[in-house]
Amino acid sequence: MRSGAGGGDGTFFALPHQGSADMTSAAALPAWARETPAVDVLRALAKAGSEGRLVGGCVRDGLLGRAFKDVDIATPLPPDAVQRALRAAGLGAIPTGIAHGTVTALVRHQPIEVTTLRQDVETDGRHARVVFTEDWGLDAQRRDLTMNALFLDAHGELYDYVGGLEDLKAGRVRFIGDPRRRIEEDYLRLLRFLRFHAHYATGPLDPEGLAAAVDLAPRLAGISGERKAQELLRLLAAPDPLPVLQVMADSGIFRWLLPGLPLPDLSVVAGLGDPDPLLRLAALLPPDPEAARSAAQALRLSKRQAGVLADLAKKRDLSTQGARRRLLYRKGPALLADLAQLAQARGELAATEARAARAEAEAWQPRDFPIGGKDLAALGLPAGPEIGQLLASLEDWWIEQDFAPDRGALLAEAQRRLG
């Protein structure tokens, strides 16, 4: 099926078939495609006697008027010929995934993945063995969701082999073909289905897709924590992930995503005003450092992400200004703002107190402790652990005094304590 392309305002309209095979002009492309480096790649492929079409997320989001980061191109040209075509056009060509037909083109320092049309011949739930094809329809059939299998050619013409355009218009997230088979080809598609629903759907989950997802949820145990974390955090970044999270809790999918942890209290997520995915992940967990460690381990979070989750899980006193300012000095304003939101969402902090804490975090100016170990050594304190102990004690005193003592006052206090 062919149809017109879509406008940047989220509408769908017909574009006339313009241009020629030499791609001397990209005027027929909608603005969201014309403004990407993809035009140079399409021109290079055309000069090599083949064709390239934009595919996947850039087409989906471009039609909806949404911003997108990555641009992918599909072509019937084999990978070695793709590399020759790109280099002949003066573009960079990196064989990043030759076994799966992918070459990364570098256009004005921007990467664009160019993948040869392919068909899966063997899958094991994580990896696929593919053969190359020249059939656009077969390539479309191997993809996961209908809205991800739309192609846009150099003339602004849209190709839809699986009903993806109607699903996109309707806000309907649907697998291509049999949902169970699609998930069995790659079990991560189970989470992708849920994530895409949270970002693109306007109604209930597709019942056939949900039934397959629930039935195959135990297979998530065989997926790496990093891949699961990527999908979960993207889901949690949706404007309103609560309907999907509720389905995951009710259906038991959460048990396989975060094994050993209790079902989340979704009212806490609902009470957050910030869509930050790590903050929402913390809200899904009980306020317990052990739960945070378990989740970080199960999802193989980065050291930074695990540290943030651990900080958000610790019980902290936010009731007094002194306690809040100590936290600001030790950990920075972002943690205080997040903790205030969490505490309010859990009913542990009144709304007025939470607003005050967030205002303090926003107004916070970092402080530098005015003295160091060399200053204490100059007072006659011998090198050793005593210097570190006294310095820490003086810093605590300085914080308790609301950072008011200057360098002279701190040295005087040090001298007093040394006798």
Side-chain angles (χ1 to χ4, degrees):
M1 170 189 171
R2 296 184 182 188
S3 71
D9 61 355
T11 59
F12 296 82
F13 58 87
L15 284 173
H17 186 96
Q18 300 179 32
S20 60
D22 63 5
M23 264 298 291
T24 56
S25 170
L29 286 170
W32 55 264
R34 193 167 60 246
E35 293 167 0
T36 74
V39 172
D40 293 351
V41 178
L42 297 177
R43 183 178 291 112
L45 295 173
K47 286 183 177 179
S50 188
E51 179 186 11
R53 298 177 186 173
L54 279 70
V55 64
C58 62
V59 180
R60 178 196 66 232
D61 289 341
L63 291 172
L64 292 174
R66 297 189 184 189
F68 56 87
K69 180 180 179 182
D70 298 322
V71 177
D72 296 304
I73 291 176
T75 179
L77 206 62
D80 57 344
V82 169
Q83 293 181 75
R84 289 195 300 270
L86 293 173
R87 289 168 181 152
L91 306 178
I94 305 171
T96 47
I98 289 297
H100 289 85
T102 299
V103 175
T104 298
L106 290 178
V107 186
R108 299 189 291 278
H109 305 291
Q110 296 186 50
I112 295 179
E113 287 197 349
V114 184
T115 302
T116 303
L117 301 180
R118 54 194 178 171
Q119 183 180 11
D120 294 344
V121 294
E122 184 179 327
T123 60
D124 63 5
R126 289 180 295 176
H127 308 100
R129 185 168 65 86
V130 303
V131 294
F132 302 136
T133 180
E134 295 184 353
D135 190 320
W136 294 92
L138 288 178
D139 185 88
Q141 289 289 340
R142 65 167 295 279
R143 297 174 183 270
D144 55 359
L145 304 169
T146 60
M147 63 174 57
N148 293 336
L150 296 168
F151 299 88
L152 182 75
D153 73 9
H155 312 294
E157 195 158 7
L158 193 71
Y159 294 80
D160 179 14
Y161 301 93
V162 294
L165 185 60
E166 286 304 314
D167 285 341
L168 192 63
K169 289 179 179 180
R172 183 170 54 237
V173 176
R174 190 169 58 87
F175 281 107
I176 296 170
D178 177 22
R180 185 181 184 92
R181 179 179 176 184
R182 291 282 84 83
I183 295 173
E184 287 177 334
E185 290 168 347
D186 181 352
Y187 294 120
L188 195 67
R189 286 175 171 174
L190 188 161
L191 295 180
R192 282 173 59 81
F193 167 66
L194 298 169
R195 188 248 295 183
F196 272 81
H197 187 91
H199 281 274
Y200 293 96
T202 56
L205 281 111
D206 174 66
E208 292 183 8
L210 177 58
V214 172
D215 191 35
L216 294 172
R219 307 296 179 87
L220 290 173
I223 300 296
S224 72
E226 293 94 338
R227 296 181 78 202
K228 288 186 285 191
Q230 186 180 47
E231 287 300 326
L232 177 58
L233 291 174
R234 287 178 175 179
L235 190 161
L236 292 174
D240 181 15
L242 280 171
V244 171
L245 294 175
Q246 188 66 63
V247 169
M248 293 171 69
D250 294 343
S251 66
I253 292 176
F254 260 121
R255 292 202 312 269
W256 302 104
L257 188 60
L258 294 171
L261 293 174
L263 287 178
D265 180 356
L266 295 181
S267 66
V268 179
V269 180
L272 293 177
D274 192 330
D276 177 74
L278 264 181
L279 181 60
R280 282 175 167 172
L281 176 58
L284 291 176
L285 305 173
D288 171 28
E290 185 56 41
R293 281 192 293 271
S294 178
Q297 183 176 19
L299 297 173
R300 298 295 296 274
L301 296 181
S302 69
K303 185 176 180 181
R304 183 196 69 81
Q305 291 171 326
V308 170
L309 208 60
D311 278 336
L312 291 171
K314 292 177 183 176
K315 283 286 188 179
R316 300 181 188 271
D317 178 18
L318 303 180
S319 61
T320 67
Q321 186 183 60
R324 294 192 294 271
R325 290 172 78 81
R326 283 194 295 274
L327 181 62
L328 283 166
Y329 175 71
R330 298 289 188 191
K331 291 289 187 176
L335 180 60
L336 176 60
D338 286 349
L339 286 171
Q341 283 199 69
L342 273 176
Q344 181 184 356
R346 289 180 173 135
E348 301 167 350
L349 197 66
T352 53
E353 294 174 317
R355 282 196 297 271
R358 291 196 294 271
E360 284 182 66
E362 187 174 340
W364 173 252
Q365 296 296 323
R367 270 76 164 170
D368 293 320
F369 189 44
I371 65 172
K374 291 182 179 179
D375 297 305
L376 299 185
L379 295 178
L381 192 63
E386 291 83 1
I387 286 184
Q389 292 167 3
L390 179 56
L391 199 63
S393 178
L394 288 169
E395 189 176 33
D396 286 340
W397 177 75
W398 177 66
I399 296 171
E400 290 293 338
Q401 300 301 311
D402 201 21
F403 316 103
D406 59 12
R407 175 181 170 79
L410 280 162
L411 292 176
E413 177 65 16
Q415 189 68 65
R416 186 189 70 79
R417 295 188 185 192
L418 290 172

